[in-house]
């Protein structure tokens, strides 16, 4: 499993950030915005598990409500102030003829979620509509990871967080699933007692080994520090044709990835939010091997949801391992270089 969310045909990603090279903790620019642009006719949904979310247009994605399609999703820094980045994405989409046609114009549908990263850079240095417009203008299939976009000011517990992506193809049904995530969690991505990821299969997947005792002791000591930062936000996408209700189940299933890779997760301090997009490009025929009594849509949603959770878990580790230090926040590689053999 590798790749990026743009392996789902039609999905594009753009970043825009501002990072002062000499930024110190609490002073200077260290924030950014990531935009996921969806092809026309993409169904959207969302699942929120954290106790402190910052979001926009999430109620609109309830399957019971009238708007079915999503034009783009914004992941951004800046806490609630950063939601202004979605205005710029709407402006860009309108200029490109995207949105719900109304008398007199178009209304693009752009849900958004934020991370709380204001203490990393300057409190007044946060994304604006110009960030969103620039990120949308930069959208393409190549996706940078680490300290980029919404991951610039992110932390993962006491370590530097980041922006990660991954994809997986379900060859048996011809469906692709991708994920992108900004990891800015209150919880840790590594077990303080071992210095390794919580998931055993990720230890093998990323080729990690137990770090030396002195590095582990330094990490464990730093782990005692309380991080005021929180919220992991993500988008999972698939080219499978899913109903709004099935798309919501996809978002719910993908949340399992955060509980696997971050401990604790979904706390009152976090605003953990996962969006799901289904482009509908692949119509999957009913599976002959589906369990008795299971509808074809349920069988498809189950398979795609399991893949989305695996994909998002990998994307989270990709983002953290690729992160570069800023404002004195150490990376996983800084604290535990011995884990890389």
């Amino acid at each position: 499993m590798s790749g990026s969310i743009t392996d789902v045909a039609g999905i594009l990603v753009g970043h825009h950030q501002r990072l002062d090279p000499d930024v110190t903790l609490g002073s200077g620019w260290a924030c950014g915005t990531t935009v996921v642009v969806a092809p026309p006719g993409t169904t959207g949904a969302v699942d929120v598990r954290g106790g402190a979310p910052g979001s926009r247009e999430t109620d609109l994605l309830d399957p019971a409500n009238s708007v079915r399609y999503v034009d783009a999703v914004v992941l951004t820094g800046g806490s609630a102030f950063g939601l202004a980045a979605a205005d710029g994405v709407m402006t860009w989409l309108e200029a490109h003829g995207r949105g719900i046609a109304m008398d007199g114009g178009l209304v693009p549908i752009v849900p958004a979620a934020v991370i709380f990263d204001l203490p990393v850079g300057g409190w007044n240095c946060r994304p604006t509509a110009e960030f969103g417009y620039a990120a949308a203008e930069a959208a393409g299939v190549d996706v940078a990871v680490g300290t980029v976009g919404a991951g610039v000011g992110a932390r993962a517990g006491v370590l530097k967080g980041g922006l990660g992506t991954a994809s997986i193809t379900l060859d048996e049904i011809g469906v692709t699933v991708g994920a992108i995530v900004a990891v800015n969690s209150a919880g840790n991505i590594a077990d303080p007692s071992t210095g390794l990821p919580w998931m055993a299969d990720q230890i093998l997947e990323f080729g990690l080994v137990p770090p030396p005792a002195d590095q582990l002791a330094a990490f464990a000591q730093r782990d005692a520090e309380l991080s005021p930062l929180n919220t992991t936000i993500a988008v999972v996408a698939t080219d499978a044709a899913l109903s709004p209700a099935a798309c919501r189940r996809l978002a719910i299933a993908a949340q399992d990835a955060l509980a696997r890779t971050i401990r604790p997760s979904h706390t009152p301090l976090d605003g953990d939010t996962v969006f799901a997009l289904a482009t509908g490009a692949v119509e999957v025929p009913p599976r002959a091997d589906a369990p008795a009594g299971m509808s074809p849509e349920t069988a498809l949603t189950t398979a795609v949801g399991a893949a989305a959770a695996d994909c998002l878990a990998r994307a989270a580790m990709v983002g953290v391992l690729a992160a570069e230090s800023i404002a004195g926040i150490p990376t996983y590689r800084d604290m535990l270089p011995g884990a890389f053999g």
Side-chain angles (χ1 to χ4, degrees):
M1 182 167 55
S2 58
S4 78
I5 192 172
T6 58
D7 291 333
V8 177
I11 296 290
L12 303 175
V13 172
H15 303 307
H16 183 73
Q17 62 275 329
R18 184 171 174 183
L19 175 60
D20 292 338
D22 56 351
V23 63
T24 58
L25 197 63
S27 179
W29 279 95
C31 65
T33 298
T34 295
V35 176
V36 179
V37 180
T42 296
T43 300
V46 66
D47 184 65
V48 180
R49 293 295 168 97
S55 59
R56 166 173 168 160
E57 299 282 37
T58 51
D59 284 349
L60 196 63
L61 298 183
D62 188 314
N65 291 332
S66 58
V67 174
R68 179 174 180 179
Y69 300 122
V70 170
D71 296 299
V73 176
V74 174
L75 307 178
T76 185
S79 189
F81 294 107
L83 291 171
D87 293 340
V89 178
M90 290 186 69
T91 300
W92 185 88
L93 288 164
E94 181 185 31
H96 287 77
R98 294 290 305 277
I100 298 175
M102 308 287 286
D103 290 340
L106 298 169
V107 180
I109 303 302
V110 185
V114 302
I115 63 172
F116 180 58
D117 58 355
L118 295 177
V120 173
W123 195 272
N124 294 319
C125 300
R126 60 234 185 184
T128 61
E130 287 72 23
F131 275 62
Y133 191 97
E137 185 74 10
V141 296
D142 295 328
V143 185
V145 297
T147 305
V148 295
V152 166
R155 290 177 68 172
V158 296
L159 301 176
K160 183 69 182 72
L163 194 288
T165 188
S167 68
I168 185 172
T169 299
L170 303 178
D171 293 326
E172 66 274 16
I173 56 176
V175 164
T176 300
V177 179
I180 190 167
V181 58
V183 182
N184 186 66
S185 55
N188 283 304
I189 53 85
D191 183 347
S193 67
T194 66
L196 297 171
W198 298 101
M199 296 173 60
D201 58 342
Q202 286 193 336
I203 297 172
L204 296 174
E205 181 180 1
F206 291 96
L208 302 175
V209 298
D214 60 331
Q215 295 177 16
L216 184 58
F219 175 60
Q221 182 178 13
R222 189 175 182 88
D223 180 59
E225 301 175 15
L226 177 64
S227 170
L229 304 178
N230 55 78
T231 300
T232 297
I233 52 178
V235 179
V236 295
T238 181
D239 50 12
L242 298 177
S243 69
C247 204
R248 171 71 190 283
R249 296 307 311 178
L250 176 61
I252 292 171
Q255 282 274 15
D256 290 347
L258 306 188
R260 295 179 194 171
T261 55
I262 301 166
R263 298 186 187 179
S265 60
H266 307 152
T267 73
L269 298 174
D270 290 293
D272 298 337
T273 299
V274 176
F275 296 96
L277 301 174
T279 68
V282 177
E283 289 281 353
V284 180
R287 297 177 60 182
D289 61 346
M294 181 180 291
S295 71
E297 183 178 59
T298 299
L300 173 61
T301 305
T302 300
V304 174
D310 290 341
C311 196
L312 181 52
R314 186 178 199 279
M317 288 305 301
V318 166
V320 173
L321 295 181
E324 298 176 358
S325 178
I326 66 166
I329 305 169
T331 67
Y332 183 90
R333 292 178 182 271
D334 292 334
M335 289 294 299
L336 300 163
F340 297 91

